[in-house]
Amino acid sequence: MHLPPADDARSPYTGYTRAHWEAAADALLAAVEPYASEGGALYHLPGDRQSWSGRLSDGLEGYARTLLLAAFRRDETALQRYAEGLAAGTAGVWPRVEDRGQPLVEAASVALALRLTRPLLWDRLDDGVRQRAAAWLGDALTADAWPCNWELFPVTVGGFLDEIGYETAASRKAIDHGLARIEDWYLGDGWYTDGDGRKFDYYNGWAMHLYPVLHAWLADDPRLLELYGGRLSRHLEDYARLFGGDGAPMHQGRSLTYRFATTAPVWLGALCGRTPLSPGETRRLASGALKYFLERGAVDERGLLTLGWHGPDPAVLQGYSGPASPYWASKGFVGLLLPPDHPVWTAPEEPGPAERADAVTPVGPPNWLLQSTTSDGLVRLHNHGSEDVRYDPYYTRLAYSTATAPSSSYDNSVFVGDDPSRTGIEPLGVGEGWAASRHTTGGGARVTSAVLARGAVEVRAHLVCGAEPGTTVRVTGWPTAERGPRAELAPALGLSPALTGTTGDGDTLFVALARLTGEADPVPLTETVDVRADGQRELRVHWSEGPELRVVFGATAVEVIAE
């Protein structure tokens, strides 16, 4: 991909400016053009992978997701191609929008793109095409959605159809229903769970916030914008901390092949004027993520986004991932809706949270603890409240980071016997420098876990209850790689040098020290903190350059008390 020269004066951290984003969008749009078929209605990208929705749906996905990119770019030449594809698709090429089918997802992208570019695309279509397109989209108003972020797809379609005067009563009903539905999943402080349970991931930003905020902004509805914009602003206080100093987003959750779609909520806050981030920090975080992926193989020799994280990587794919799925990354270009003279494009870049100061930040609703260090720009996420076993290992490990990926050998886990499973995660609290939870193993044992963090160092404590006496317990730490940060794990209580121990007649406590660091010569791990047991359910932790803390493992909560 050919990009303009770096502008280190305006963008001292990334070198990227608006011109780089425009060039990237243009290159991505040009690369997919040769794969259009059926009059431009379908985009069948190369490769032998097919999603579980089938080839026809995958082709529609290719059209819809790249149309959204053209809409954010406001490229009239490209939009003309997509207008021709819309005419062909609604003439019988596209599959119908039906209950819980993938075309419902893609209908939302089509509707949003048409709403964003109405004078450039929709208003130039002939009446017959408009009637067919509205009718095709109209099926989304009554289609049954999966009970998760999918509830917002009829909202997005309804917003456009209401604006053009098509089935206005049904459109408004779909909008009201979807917006009411997500209230069931809003847990406060800017955080949603993606449906029932505790499914915390990037769908918070690129779906649960994106669609309601864009709808409110496009409808010029001050009440909705105050509500959803306020939630977005609060979310960004935490969300901005999920990016490493090298631009990498946190490697956690499903659909990671959407890559720089992770930047969408960052731009969105600036677009709607509801953000705690300065213009320079906004662009630094977003451009950092785009640059991170473009420099690491996200685009192949044909200019196409690959199915993976850096380059191709089947480990981050799901059954719904088709050849064009990575183009959900188009959402990351929402910043191009901001005019060139907006401060988000003209202000000098400013450092992100991971570059400003070491921090250990509690995040209440998901019961996460975020730990970042400026010396290496690493961010670590200690997970004591997110669970979605359908898409493991990206939800139930004890920790994730911006520099590591979950391993098949069960990194960041507790084995009770030979069982590393972690289900029924129950949050037990999060506070300054700590987080805790309880989970159930496959054999029925209960493990109460607490992590205390300071700098790059972690104290990981696990109280195992209900296991047979003499059961082997083993703890694992960060995954290792030939290149990248150094992972360390040392026994502190109840564990051998091999990080194994055995349960006693009652509840048994196991403690290890862990560290993931890019520092070349850090202080030896065992010199950073002193850990002592104080009875069967209490622990004393004394940081060498910090406070002494008492950790109490209660029946329903974990308390961390400064001594």
Side-chain angles (χ1 to χ4, degrees):
M1 182 179 291
H2 179 71
L3 298 177
D7 185 343
D8 294 327
R10 181 174 296 180
S11 301
Y13 292 90
T14 69
Y16 277 26
T17 62
R18 182 185 176 93
H20 292 78
W21 282 86
E22 291 175 339
D26 292 343
L28 291 171
L29 287 169
V32 299
E33 184 180 357
Y35 301 99
S37 64
E38 299 291 339
L42 304 173
Y43 281 69
H44 287 301
L45 302 187
D48 56 4
R49 184 180 175 88
Q50 184 172 290
S51 80
W52 58 28
S53 296
R55 177 174 168 79
L56 180 59
S57 177
D58 289 350
L60 168 61
E61 182 175 80
Y63 172 90
R65 298 189 178 194
T66 56
L67 165 63
L68 190 57
L69 176 57
F72 290 139
R73 181 66 177 98
R74 301 182 71 81
D75 180 335
E76 293 192 46
T77 301
L79 288 173
Q80 178 56 39
R81 295 198 302 270
Y82 285 95
E84 295 167 2
L86 183 70
T90 56
V93 173
W94 288 347
R96 289 192 60 183
V97 178
E98 297 177 327
D99 292 348
R100 299 190 175 189
Q102 187 65 28
L104 175 59
V105 182
E106 309 317 323
S109 290
V110 172
L112 179 57
L114 293 174
R115 195 176 184 187
L116 288 167
T117 62
R118 185 175 172 183
L120 302 177
L121 201 167
W122 181 261
D123 291 348
R124 299 179 183 181
L125 298 172
D126 65 48
D127 287 343
V129 175
R130 284 201 293 260
Q131 290 170 11
R132 293 200 311 269
W136 183 81
L137 289 169
D139 286 341
L141 300 177
T142 55
D144 187 34
W146 289 106
C148 60
N149 70 89
W150 280 48
E151 298 280 8
L152 292 170
F153 300 141
V155 171
T156 304
V157 174
F160 172 65
L161 294 181
D162 182 48
E163 183 179 291
I164 64 171
Y166 181 86
E167 297 286 352
T168 55
S171 295
R172 291 168 188 168
K173 182 178 180 180
I175 293 168
D176 292 343
H177 173 80
L179 295 181
R181 192 74 176 94
I182 65 171
E183 292 305 303
D184 296 339
W185 306 319
Y186 184 66
L187 300 185
D189 289 343
W191 285 88
Y192 296 88
T193 175
D194 188 18
D196 294 339
R198 298 188 58 82
K199 305 176 183 72
F200 299 102
D201 51 31
Y202 285 116
Y203 280 84
N204 257 279
W206 64 39
M208 305 300 281
H209 284 291
L210 182 77
Y211 293 115
V213 171
L214 277 179
H215 170 69
W217 181 71
L218 288 165
D220 195 21
D221 187 320
R223 182 186 67 83
L224 290 182
L225 194 56
E226 182 65 24
L227 174 64
Y228 298 120
R231 290 179 180 180
L232 171 64
S233 182
R234 176 61 185 88
H235 182 69
L236 289 172
E237 292 180 28
D238 298 325
Y239 189 81
R241 296 184 177 277
L242 295 176
F243 294 85
D246 59 356
M250 183 62 59
H251 200 87
Q252 180 271 341
R254 64 188 177 99
S255 299
L256 292 179
T257 194
Y258 300 163
R259 295 183 176 101
F260 40 86
T262 52
T263 68
V266 177
W267 288 124
L268 186 63
L271 179 68
C272 71
R274 304 296 197 281
T275 180
L277 310 177
S278 70
E281 184 180 0
T282 295
R283 191 173 79 255
R284 188 271 172 274
L285 292 173
S287 293
L290 178 64
K291 183 177 183 179
Y292 175 83
F293 287 112
L294 293 184
E295 291 184 344
R296 289 168 174 79
V299 175
D300 68 14
E301 67 281 358
R302 296 163 296 195
L304 300 174
L305 289 172
T306 58
L307 282 157
W309 180 248
H310 292 160
D313 182 1
V316 302
L317 306 182
Q318 288 75 40
Y320 54 78
S321 304
S325 290
Y327 286 85
W328 188 283
S330 297
K331 293 181 176 185
F333 290 86
V334 67
L336 291 178
L337 295 178
L338 291 157
D341 61 354
H342 190 281
V344 82
W345 294 118
T346 61
E349 282 185 344
E350 298 176 17
E355 297 162 305
R356 292 198 296 265
D358 289 2
V360 180
T361 307
V363 184
N367 214 63
W368 285 350
L369 189 69
L370 303 180
Q371 176 189 19
S372 62
T373 42
T374 58
S375 62
D376 49 21
L378 293 181
V379 184
R380 310 138 187 94
L381 185 162
H382 298 283
N383 172 35
H384 288 268
S386 180
E387 178 179 2
D388 191 344
V389 295
R390 299 172 303 168
Y391 301 113
D392 263 350
Y394 292 94
Y395 286 87
T396 57
R397 297 285 166 89
L398 286 162
Y400 300 90
S401 86
T402 54
T404 60
S407 72
S408 58
S409 58
Y410 289 94
D411 61 282
N412 291 313
S413 298
V414 180
F415 287 74
V416 179
D418 58 359
D419 179 14
S421 62
R422 187 178 182 222
T423 58
I425 297 174
E426 176 188 353
L428 296 181
V430 61
E432 292 300 320
W434 68 275
S437 63
R438 181 179 292 123
H439 72 271
T440 304
T441 68
R446 298 286 282 162
V447 181
T448 302
S449 298
V451 61
L452 290 81
R454 186 177 177 87
V457 179
E458 311 154 30
V459 176
R460 299 183 179 187
H462 308 286
L463 183 70
V464 178
C465 311
E468 288 292 324
T471 299
T472 299
V473 172
R474 178 167 66 92
V475 300
T476 61
W478 293 102
T480 57
E482 289 185 13
R483 297 180 180 179
R486 179 170 63 184
E488 300 174 80
L489 190 66
L493 288 174
L495 296 168
S496 71
L499 284 307
T500 62
T502 56
T503 57
D505 291 333
D507 301 346
T508 311
L509 188 61
F510 303 91
V511 184
L513 309 181
R515 179 164 57 189
L516 181 71
T517 181
E519 287 192 40
D521 188 25
V523 174
L525 184 58
T526 54
E527 295 179 13
T528 61
V529 63
D530 178 63
V531 180
R532 293 176 287 114
D534 191 2
Q536 195 176 41
R537 285 179 163 265
E538 291 194 17
L539 194 65
R540 290 187 179 272
V541 176
H542 188 189
W543 296 105
S544 61
E545 296 184 0
E548 182 171 354
L549 305 170
R550 183 160 57 97
V551 184
V552 181
F553 291 84
T556 59
V558 170
E559 292 184 272
V560 177
I561 305 161
E563 294 288 86

